Amino acid sequence: MEIKKVTVVGAGLMGHGIAQVLSQVGKFNVALLDVKQEFLDRGVNWIKKSLGKFVEKGVLSNEEAEKVMERIHPTLNVEEAYKDTDFVIEAAPEKIAIKKEVFKAADKLTRPETILATNTSSISITLLSSFTSKPDKVVGMHFFNPPQLMKLVEIIKGKLTSDETISAVKDLIEKIGKEAVLVKKDAPGFIVNRILMPALNEALFLVWEGIAEPKDIDKAIKLGLNWPMGPLTLLDYVGLDTALSVIDVLYNEFKDSKYRACPLLVQMVRAGLLGRKTGKGFYDWKH
Ligand code: 3HC
């Protein structure tokens, strides 16, 4: 199947980066759909900033960066976003109710052969596919933050996802210059978040129990394990609300107390200390 148009649903932290990565290939038109103009404007600004960094580094020329922007079509209009699209990547907030509405609309407004991929961090692909009439075309396509720089994309096979769909996703991942791993069974957290989230949660417990200061925990893991960012910086980077959603899914699906969210995480989310996206989490990001 030749892909000409891709629709990215959600212009947030992940969606804007995914749209940019797709557009940078130079072969696809990218519709970027969101529910509020301010979300679209913010996403477009982030893309411009990121392209600016690539231009500064000489990865892209000014003209190429302009073309990347020209191929991205931000819209609030659902019909326009899905019209004649070949591939949908949903990157809406990690809430089942929101994703259900997105999948129902995408199912109704796309052609039968259009693939419906989701960038969910943890929600069951099989559950999301049940909101559509074509579960064989629904698949997990999980990018990592920031999508512009991170090489990995997890492909997750839902219970009813067809092999044809998996191979179309593999092709697309190759075209955008990323590396794929296949998650053969639809299990909570897939590979990376199943390992990462308990580690981040444990770092939160170290703070909660007063064992060490955040900056020392981060320093320990950066220098002791060679992570590019310490766990608390990484929490700020991905968003504490997103991390809480993922940990809650692990806890609820496995029904295992080892995945119980640290009370500090719950408190910080309630206080709006979500990290980079709100300007404050463990660190101050307002600069
Ligand atoms: N677009 C373009 N360039 C960017 C960029 C972007 N969005 N973000 C950063 N850069 C560039 C910077 O300009 C900088 O360029 P330079 O080397 O020429 O100065 C370079 O990338 C490095 O950036 P920084 O100096 O700001 O910071 P780092 O050296 O720490 O690199 C990083 C940034 C690549 C994000 C690195 O810190 C990193 O790998 N961090 C860990 C990220 C990670 O673990 N992500 C996964 C999170 S989990 C997840 O996403 C799953 C989800 O389901 C929760």
Side-chain angles (χ1 to χ4, degrees), residues 50 53-54 57 121 142 144-145 149-150 193 228-229 234:
S50 170
K53 286 185 189 171
F54 288 138
K57 279 196 236 166
S121 309
H142 184 214
F144 293 82
N145 198 353
L149 302 182
M150 301 297 283
N193 278 331
M229 287 174 169
L234 189 55

Side-chain angles (χ1 to χ4, degrees), residues 60 80 83 86 189 231 276:
L60 289 176
E80 185 186 308
K83 187 168 187 281
D86 302 297
R276 195 171 51 137

Side-chain angles (χ1 to χ4, degrees), residues 8-12 16 32-46 73-78 81 91-93 98 102:
V8 177
V9 183
H16 87 277
L32 181 58
L33 175 68
D34 213 316
V35 290
K36 279 191 184 165
Q37 190 59 42
E38 61 181 281
F39 297 157
L40 286 177
D41 293 344
R42 188 183 58 177
V44 166
N45 273 334
W46 281 337
H73 308 283
T75 180
L76 298 171
N77 185 318
V78 189
I98 296 177
V102 170

Side-chain angles (χ1 to χ4, degrees), residues 37-270:
Q37 190 59 42
E38 61 181 281
F39 297 157
L40 286 177
D41 293 344
R42 188 183 58 177
V44 166
N45 273 334
W46 281 337
I47 296 174
K48 285 186 181 151
K49 256 194 181 164
S50 170
L51 289 171
K53 286 185 189 171
F54 288 138
V55 170
E56 247 173 54
K57 279 196 236 166
V59 176
L60 289 176
S61 68
N62 265 319
E63 296 78 66
E64 281 165 333
E66 271 167 33
K67 292 223 169 80
V68 172
M69 287 311 307
E70 278 167 23
R71 283 187 291 269
I72 299 176
H73 308 283
T75 180
L76 298 171
N77 185 318
V78 189
E79 277 85 11
E80 185 186 308
Y82 290 130
K83 187 168 187 281
D84 296 329
T85 197
D86 302 297
F87 205 105
V88 175
I89 305 178
E90 171 274 318
E94 281 294 279
K95 299 270 180 276
I96 292 173
I98 296 177
K99 290 192 191 285
K100 180 176 181 177
E101 289 314 308
V102 170
F103 272 86
K104 279 166 76 178
D107 184 41
K108 203 167 104 194
L109 297 169
T110 58
R111 297 194 306 264
E113 65 274 22
T114 302
I115 289 175
L116 307 181
T118 171
N119 178 58
T120 181
S121 309
S122 59
I123 296 172
S124 159
I125 309 307
T126 311
L127 175 67
L128 295 175
S129 77
S130 73
F131 305 136
T132 74
S133 60
K134 47 179 179 182
D136 57 312
K137 298 272 186 250
V138 177
V139 62
M141 191 176 180
H142 184 214
F143 289 78
F144 293 82
N145 198 353
Q148 294 95 331
L149 302 182
M150 301 297 283
K151 275 277 172 202
L152 182 69
V153 183
E154 289 177 321
I155 302 175
I156 304 101
K157 196 174 185 322
K159 186 77 183 155
L160 300 172
T161 311
S162 69
D163 291 341
E164 214 184 2
T165 299
I166 297 288
S167 81
V169 177
K170 269 190 190 148
D171 275 0
L172 181 59
I173 292 171
E174 206 171 288
K175 286 205 178 88
I176 61 178
K178 303 281 185 204
E179 292 281 336
V181 288
L182 179 65
V183 183
K184 297 190 291 178
K185 282 189 193 167
D186 181 17
F190 318 134
I191 298 172
V192 174
N193 278 331
R194 174 99 172 251
I195 295 171
L196 175 66
M197 289 301 161
L200 299 186
N201 203 35
E202 213 53 42
L204 282 152
F205 272 111
L206 285 175
V207 181
W208 179 244
E209 292 165 13
I211 312 286
E213 289 298 320
K215 66 174 187 3
D216 284 326
I217 296 167
D218 276 351
K219 185 173 173 183
I221 299 301
K222 262 183 91 168
L223 302 184
L225 292 178
N226 251 357
W227 285 26
M229 287 174 169
L232 302 166
T233 308
L234 189 55
L235 272 166
D236 271 6
Y237 197 75
V238 298
L240 275 75
D241 53 339
T242 300
L244 180 58
S245 304
V246 179
I247 292 173
D248 278 348
V249 168
L250 291 171
Y251 180 69
N252 293 329
E253 295 267 324
F254 286 117
K255 312 231 173 339
D256 187 333
S257 62
K258 80 175 173 185
Y259 300 110
R260 177 178 73 102
C262 175
L264 176 60
L265 180 59
V266 178
Q267 274 184 5
M268 287 183 72
V269 170
R270 284 181 183 154

